[in-house]
Amino acid sequence: MTLTDQMTMAKPNPELQKKIFSRLVNIHPDECFQCMRCTSGCTSLKLLELKPHEITLLVTTGFIDELLSSDIIWTCAACLKCRERCPQKASPYNTIMILRNLAVEKESKVPEAYMKAMSQILETGLMQQETPVLSREAKPFNRQTLGLPKLHYPKPKLQEILMKILGG
Amino acid sequence: MSLREVTPHFNIELIDLHETSCCGGPVRSINTKAATYLSIRNLALAEKSGLKNLLVPCNECHFMLCEVSHRIQLNQQLHNEVETLLREENLQYPTTVKIWHTIDLFHDLITPEKIRLRVKRPLKGLTFAAHPGCQIIRPSEIGRVDHPEKPRKLETLIKALGAEAKDYPEKLDCCGAALLYSHKEAALSLAGSKLKSLQEQGFQALVDTCPYCHIMYDAKQKEAVSTVGGKSMIPVVYYTQILGRALDIPSEKLGLHLNQTFTTEDVEF
């Protein structure tokens, strides 16, 4: 379902809108005047049809639920061109990250790889397990055989703190 | 590996920080506050070590640490919350650590002139494409290592090795790594289009400064190039790998045997 299709039954959600504004630091979506500079240089425009100026417009007009159930918020490549080029400090990048956070809180459809990375970080502090690498000749190497020092993982206290943050 | 090999040649000692974690890059999509904590905690560990400089040889980790420090400075409430959590791990809010990246370490601190003096094997006759990447040059408001639209430092560093570094239209194109989580095909096609074009333009190799870009352009090159209908491969190296070769350090010590993108007619670095 495209965003436009969803808009036929859309209702603004001022509460969620307030939540977004309160979480943004020094970013002001309400200052956006739709110059579309973000969209004209967007990495994901051509491939995934992301139009960041539309995201900002939907947020400033309160149509947040529609954004949260659309997968368009997961198409940002985080290249930060919009953040650099926005003349109004209204960067869609940071808004998109908050929208993703809200989608997670609402238990909307979240790409699995993100959840996997998160649970790995909760477990060890790192986003990936230590795995052997293969040389071009497919010979396996690990930190030890490469002469790299052993990793010292964070103590379990980190997990406790992260759980506290994730629990709100 | 290559960073550890080359830094002693410039009287720089690297000390491993223990108990560091992920910078929070993938976590910001799930929970911005958790990502903020992960980032600032790594800085706090550096502060606790008593060292004044933290080298972060990854564009995304460098961005996260700088962005989070910037955000916290602007928000007293966030500052207080983070400080309380850090105390639970016996850490203090970091105030003095300077964050470095490969590009500014070699360009601004060591300087191309000094690199030129140390080069034993000039990489003559090779033409490289520089890929500084996205998050290391943008957004300029939080302090980045080079110009956001016209980055030149990586080229200067390549030229210091006696090689050529030509400009090319796709220089600012993103590698697509962040899309691997959700849109793999699109990510591969972004990386693939750039690699294909570089080959058509006659570059001998692509030089990057970010492990994420490196995964896209090196480890995933075969997949990426075939996504856009390309066939042949182009070598991809991290800057300190070619710097190491110019200093006459053996390839294996620089991890060059782990790069996946050397063709049968290997470029002699």
Side-chain angles (χ1 to χ4, degrees), chain A residues 107-118:
Chain A
E107 293 176 16
S108 296
K109 213 177 142 224
V110 174
E112 206 193 325
Y114 282 105
M115 300 315 271
K116 241 184 175 165
M118 186 71 240

Side-chain angles (χ1 to χ4, degrees), chain A residues 78 84 93 101 125 136 164, chain B residues 22 28 32 88 135 140 259:
Chain A
E84 179 66 39
Y93 162 77
N101 286 189
R136 271 195 306 290
K164 198 174 1 179
Chain B
C22 166
R28 76 198 138 156
T32 312
E88 288 187 36
Q135 304 195 340
S140 47
N259 296 41

Side-chain angles (χ1 to χ4, degrees), chain A residues 65 68-70 74 102-111:
Chain A
D65 290 301
L68 297 187
S69 42
S70 159
W74 299 97
L102 290 176
V104 172
E105 286 168 35
K106 224 184 104 178
E107 293 176 16
S108 296
K109 213 177 142 224
V110 174

Side-chain angles (χ1 to χ4, degrees), chain A residues 47 74-75 77-79 81 83-85 93-94 100-101 114-115 125 127 134-136 152 154-155 164, chain B residues 19 21-22 28-30 32 67 88 135 138-141 148-149 172 178-179 181-182 256-257 259-260:
Chain A
L47 285 163
W74 299 97
T75 58
C79 72
K81 286 181 183 165
R83 169 86 177 266
E84 179 66 39
R85 293 170 184 169
Y93 162 77
N94 296 73
R100 288 181 181 182
N101 286 189
Y114 282 105
M115 300 315 271
M127 64 172 283
L134 294 179
S135 71
R136 271 195 306 290
H152 294 258
K155 298 208 172 77
K164 198 174 1 179
Chain B
E19 294 179 37
S21 67
C22 166
R28 76 198 138 156
S29 293
I30 305 284
T32 312
E67 166 88 338
E88 288 187 36
Q135 304 195 340
R138 290 182 293 269
S140 47
E141 62 166 327
E149 305 282 356
L172 291 186
L179 287 173
Y181 291 94
S182 51
L256 273 162
H257 57 306
N259 296 41
Q260 303 296 313

Side-chain angles (χ1 to χ4, degrees), chain B residues 96-115:
Chain B
T96 57
V97 178
K98 182 167 166 46
I99 309 168
W100 294 88
H101 177 259
T102 314
I103 293 180
D104 58 350
L105 177 78
F106 286 96
H107 188 279
D108 303 350
L109 187 73
I110 293 170
T111 74
E113 292 73 39
K114 220 173 245 158
I115 294 175

Side-chain angles (χ1 to χ4, degrees), chain B residues 244-264:
Chain B
R245 287 306 290 138
L247 298 174
D248 208 15
I249 300 169
S251 294
E252 294 237 333
K253 286 199 162 177
L254 301 165
L256 273 162
H257 57 306
L258 303 174
N259 296 41
Q260 303 296 313
T261 49
F262 286 72
T263 50
T264 39

